[in-house]
Amino acid sequence: MLTTRWLLKNCNIIDGLTDEVHENAFIKIENGMITEVGQGEPTQTGGFEIIDCTGKYVLPGLIDCHVHLVWNGSADPQSVINHEENDRIALEAYKHALDTLRLGITTVRDLGSPDRTVLHVRNVINSNLLEGPTIIASGAPICMTGGHVYYLGYESDGADEVRKNTRRVLKEGADLVKVMATGGIYTKGEDPGSVQLTIEELSAAKEEALKKNKKVAAHADGLEGIMNCLEVGIDTIEHGIFADRQALEIMKKQGTFLVPTMAVMRQLTSSPDIPAFALEKAKKVVEPHFNMLKEAVQIGVKIATGTDCGSPLTPPVYYFDELSIMHEAGMSQMDVIKASTSVAAECLGIEDQVGSVSAGKQADLLIVEKNPLENLNSLRDDKLIMKNGVFVK
Ligand SMILES: [Zn+2]
C-alpha cells in the first residue's frame, strides 16, 4: 500500500517563492498535500513515514508552460501523426506525458493538440486514473485557414468564426484558449514575422475566453502580431521572437507573461534532418530571439519556463537546456527556478495549487543531491520525484 503521510526531515528547501535556501527544514505531507513546512525538529510525527534529506535539496516540481504532448520530438513529429487516428494519438500523448513526469516536470501546459486528444489525456491524469503530470490544456488552437500548425487547430476566418471556435474549444473543456497571432517556423510557406489572426479576430477570442474566466495564450513571433496581442490583452506571449523594447515594456506594464521557448529554436537548427523549410527559417531567428530574451530579462518582464517540447528534435529532456539558456540570458539560477515553479504556476493561473513548497499546495516535489543554485544542470541528475504525495516510478 502507498504511504499517504510523509515527513521529509533535515531538508535544504528552495521553496520557489523566496530567495533564501531554508536549511534544516521539514515538510509534512498528508493525502497528497503539503500540510506543514517548518524549521528544526518537527513535533507530532506519529504515523508519518520519515525520509532523512540530510545534505539534499528539496524544491517544487518543475512546470513546463508550453508543450505539445501529441508530438514525439523526432525531426518531423507531425509527419508521425499525420495519418493516425485520434485514439492512437491520445495514447502516444499519454506516453509523452509520462516521459515528462519522469524527468521531474510535474505540471505541463499543452498548447495545441488535434480535437480532444490531449483533453482526454488530461482528464484521466488529473482525475488520478493514470499517473502523469498535472495537465492544463488548450485543446485545438485557433488559427487562420492554412495558418500556423493548422493541422492541429480549428481554422477560423473573421471574428465570428473565431468566436464560434473559441466557444467550441471551451465547450470541449479547454482550460485556456490558444491563438495563432503570427506565422512560425514549423509550418511551410509562412514567415514567422507575418500577421495571421487579425486584431479583430484576437479580440473575439479574448472576449469569449473572458466570459468563461479563461486565459488566452498566443503564438506570436513577429512584432506586429505581438503588438496586436498586447492591445487586446492576451495573457501570455509564446516565443515573442521579434518583440522590441517598446513591446517588452508594455508586457512589463500589463503583467503579460513571456514564455520564450529558447531551446526549440536552437534544436531546429541542429540537424539536417529537420524539414528544410523550417531549418532555413530557424537559422534566421536564433540570434534575435536570444537578444530579445536578454532585453526582457533586463526590463523585468515576467518570464515563465516553456520548451515547446514534442517539436522537432525537442523531446522533454530539453527542459534542462531551456533552463541553461535562460541563465545565459542573464537570469540568476534562483530566478530560473522561480520561472519554472511559482512564476510558471502564476502564468497558468494555478498558483494556489502548485509551484511552491508551502502548506496547502499539492505535494509535487523534487529531492535532488546537489544544490541547483550552484549548477542548474544538477536538476538533470537522478532524483526523487513526488507528484501529489506519491513517489514516481
Ligand atoms: Zn508550440
Side-chain angles (χ1 to χ4, degrees):
M1 275 305 288
L2 295 165
T3 305
T4 54
R5 300 170 102 197
W6 296 101
L7 170 58
L8 312 186
K9 278 176 65 172
N10 307 317
C11 314
N12 297 304
I13 298 178
I14 299 168
D15 66 11
L17 283 170
T18 63
D19 282 322
E20 297 85 49
V21 177
H22 306 278
E23 293 173 1
N24 189 29
F26 67 85
I27 304 168
K28 280 185 181 172
I29 295 148
E30 295 171 78
N31 300 317
M33 305 291 285
I34 299 171
T35 51
E36 192 185 345
V37 180
Q39 215 86 18
E41 201 55 37
T43 56
Q44 293 176 323
T45 59
F48 284 87
E49 185 93 6
I50 295 173
I51 299 175
D52 185 359
C53 296
T54 300
K56 298 188 170 117
Y57 290 79
V58 183
L59 66 156
L62 300 168
I63 300 174
D64 191 332
C65 295
H66 190 137
V67 306
H68 296 280
L69 292 173
V70 296
W71 286 341
N72 69 358
S74 62
D76 190 4
Q78 181 58 31
S79 71
V80 177
I81 60 165
N82 247 340
H83 304 291
E84 294 289 354
E85 306 219 14
N86 280 346
D87 323 51
R88 158 96 195 191
I89 292 173
L91 289 168
E92 291 194 21
Y94 177 69
K95 188 209 175 265
H96 303 146
L98 200 51
D99 292 346
T100 306
L101 176 66
R102 288 176 176 161
L103 294 167
I105 299 157
T106 51
T107 300
V108 299
R109 183 177 62 162
D110 188 280
L111 287 184
S113 53
D115 300 306
R116 277 166 284 180
T117 48
V118 166
L119 298 177
H120 289 306
V121 174
R122 175 203 62 187
N123 291 346
V124 292
I125 293 175
N126 290 7
S127 62
N128 283 324
L129 201 60
L130 290 174
E131 183 179 41
T134 299
I135 297 176
I136 301 291
S138 70
I142 312 291
C143 62
M144 70 174 201
T145 295
H148 188 57
V149 295
Y150 62 88
Y151 29 79
L152 297 182
Y154 292 147
E155 294 174 297
S156 318
D157 302 300
D160 286 346
E161 275 188 30
V162 168
R163 195 177 295 282
K164 172 101 185 162
N165 282 325
T166 302
R167 290 172 177 172
R168 179 181 173 189
V169 289
L170 292 169
K171 185 182 177 190
E172 288 173 356
D175 298 302
L176 78 155
V177 178
K178 170 79 180 292
V179 292
M180 299 303 187
T182 73
I185 311 293
Y186 186 44
T187 301
K188 202 173 177 178
E190 60 180 35
D191 187 292
S194 64
V195 170
Q196 293 204 345
L197 291 180
T198 64
I199 196 160
E200 291 77 21
E201 291 168 331
L202 294 171
S203 178
K206 174 71 188 178
E207 212 176 288
E208 293 306 318
L210 267 180
K211 288 180 188 168
K212 301 275 185 173
N213 206 17
K214 304 292 187 196
K215 293 182 188 244
V216 182
H219 165 99
D221 292 354
L223 179 60
E224 192 180 343
I226 291 169
M227 294 307 273
N228 288 344
C229 289
L230 297 177
E231 190 163 335
V232 306
I234 297 295
D235 302 276
T236 76
I237 299 289
E238 308 299 312
H239 321 301
I241 297 170
F242 296 110
D244 65 2
R245 175 163 280 270
Q246 188 199 0
L248 294 169
E249 275 166 358
I250 296 171
M251 289 174 71
K252 157 95 176 163
K253 196 166 144 226
Q254 293 184 177
T256 312
F257 286 88
L258 172 67
V259 181
T261 71
M262 306 305 294
V264 67
M265 300 301 170
R266 292 195 185 180
Q267 285 307 101
L268 280 161
T269 64
S270 69
S271 160
D273 298 339
I274 297 286
F277 67 86
L279 182 69
E280 200 185 307
K281 285 191 273 182
K283 280 182 181 162
K284 292 184 192 150
V285 306
V286 168
E287 203 185 315
H289 193 201
F290 185 64
N291 291 336
M292 179 283 297
L293 179 59
K294 282 199 285 190
E295 198 162 35
V297 172
Q298 283 164 11
I299 290 170
V301 175
K302 283 199 232 182
I303 296 166
T305 305
T307 57
D308 220 351
C309 85
S311 293
L313 298 181
T314 315
V317 73
Y318 279 86
Y319 189 90
F320 302 108
D321 296 66
E322 188 72 28
L323 304 186
S324 300
I325 299 172
M326 291 161 81
H327 180 47
E328 255 176 67
M331 294 173 76
S332 69
Q333 282 102 334
M334 187 60 105
D335 282 344
V336 172
I337 289 175
K338 287 183 187 173
S340 312
T341 55
S342 64
V343 178
E346 195 194 337
C347 174
L348 273 50
I350 53 171
E351 66 273 24
D352 54 339
Q353 296 161 50
V354 298
S356 65
V357 181
S358 43
K361 299 290 160 72
Q362 224 166 272
D364 295 353
L365 301 167
L366 307 185
I367 306 173
V368 299
E369 299 286 333
K370 291 186 195 146
N371 186 355
L373 297 172
E374 278 164 18
N375 184 355
L376 287 166
N377 271 315
S378 65
L379 292 171
R380 291 176 190 266
D381 299 345
D382 281 346
K383 54 193 167 273
L384 287 174
I385 301 161
M386 179 182 273
K387 159 88 195 306
N388 280 103
V390 177
F391 283 104
V392 173
K393 269 187 212 177

